[in-house]
Amino acid sequence: MITIAVDAMGGDHAPRPEVEGSVLAARELGVRVLLVGQTNVVKSELARHDWRGLPLEVVAASEVITMNDHPAQAFRRKKDSSVHVAARLVREAKAHGLVSAGNTGAVMTVARFLLGTLESVDRVALAAPFPNAKAGVSVLLDVGANVDSKPEHLVQFAVMGEMYYRATFGHRRPRVGLLSIGEEETKGNELTREVHERLKRAHLHYVGNVEGGDLFSGDVARLSWECAAFA
């Protein structure tokens, strides 16, 4: 059975939606859920649901990282936060993954330093799936984790996105496009043009530059994802 550690204290209205979603997931998807948070608060919310017989467990965490906390400071000072405890459960192989609707920067910081990254990955990226007009799914990277990226970072995003798409949506060879201000090779700034040349040499199904509308129309991006090069 897949086990997911859920940060029950992370969202704007925590723990109500986290607990409700966890109960539904345990009941309908057959996953085991570890609800991580302040025990009394989480159990009080759980009491509102009929969860008898469901694979749910409450794991204690005494601290909460708020949306106003600075990610790096919260990582250093709140070692017993619900995010920290959830990440440690994954690191100790007590959970297969973690879910949080909390402070994005703090979650990424905790995950990166407690769980680590592959040696070939210099920066992490956020991925956002979008349904498109051709009944497919497009995935956009990066949607907020990085302010400035170098060419090598965007190429890494392309590889990670391609692997994510294959694993999540079962497509054997998803298309990879570079989000730019036009489809022509000459469009974009210096960063975009450099990434374009590198992606042409990569072992990916690279279809070239795509525009923002392709993300939703599916004309180019059906069963694909876009690597966003922000200028």
Side-chain angles (χ1 to χ4, degrees), residues 29-61:
L29 303 179
V31 297
R32 177 170 175 253
V33 180
L34 305 178
L35 279 162
V36 185
Q38 296 171 327
T39 304
N40 293 338
V41 178
V42 177
K43 286 186 174 182
S44 177
E45 186 62 34
L46 261 177
R48 300 176 55 190
H49 301 270
D50 181 11
W51 61 285
R52 290 171 296 180
L54 294 178
L56 285 167
E57 181 181 339
V58 178
V59 179

Side-chain angles (χ1 to χ4, degrees), residues 71-72 75-76 103-115 124:
F75 171 75
R76 292 192 299 267
N103 185 314
T104 304
V107 174
M108 294 192 67
T109 301
V110 170
R112 179 168 186 176
F113 286 100
L114 290 188
L115 303 179
V124 295

Side-chain angles (χ1 to χ4, degrees), residues 215-226:
L215 184 67
F216 302 100
S217 69
D219 291 338
V220 175
R222 187 181 184 191
L223 297 177
S224 71
W225 73 284
E226 278 71 45

Side-chain angles (χ1 to χ4, degrees), residues 41-112:
V41 178
V42 177
K43 286 186 174 182
S44 177
E45 186 62 34
L46 261 177
R48 300 176 55 190
H49 301 270
D50 181 11
W51 61 285
R52 290 171 296 180
L54 294 178
L56 285 167
E57 181 181 339
V58 178
V59 179
S62 62
E63 296 177 300
V64 177
I65 294 179
T66 70
M67 295 296 185
N68 296 321
D69 283 329
H70 187 279
Q73 294 177 357
F75 171 75
R76 292 192 299 267
R77 297 175 182 175
K78 295 186 175 181
K79 299 293 187 181
D80 198 48
S81 73
S82 51
V83 178
H84 276 81
V85 175
R88 285 198 291 268
L89 288 171
V90 177
R91 186 178 64 182
E92 296 167 2
K94 296 178 180 178
H96 295 93
L98 72 89
V99 174
S100 177
N103 185 314
T104 304
V107 174
M108 294 192 67
T109 301
V110 170
R112 179 168 186 176

Side-chain angles (χ1 to χ4, degrees), residues 13-14 16-17 40 43 53 59 73 79 99 103 126 145 148 174 183 189 191 194 206:
H13 304 287
R16 181 180 56 81
N40 293 338
K43 286 186 174 182
V59 179
Q73 294 177 357
K79 299 293 187 181
V99 174
N103 185 314
L126 293 177
D148 297 303
E183 296 180 359
N189 60 9
L191 172 64
E194 172 65 21
Y206 178 57

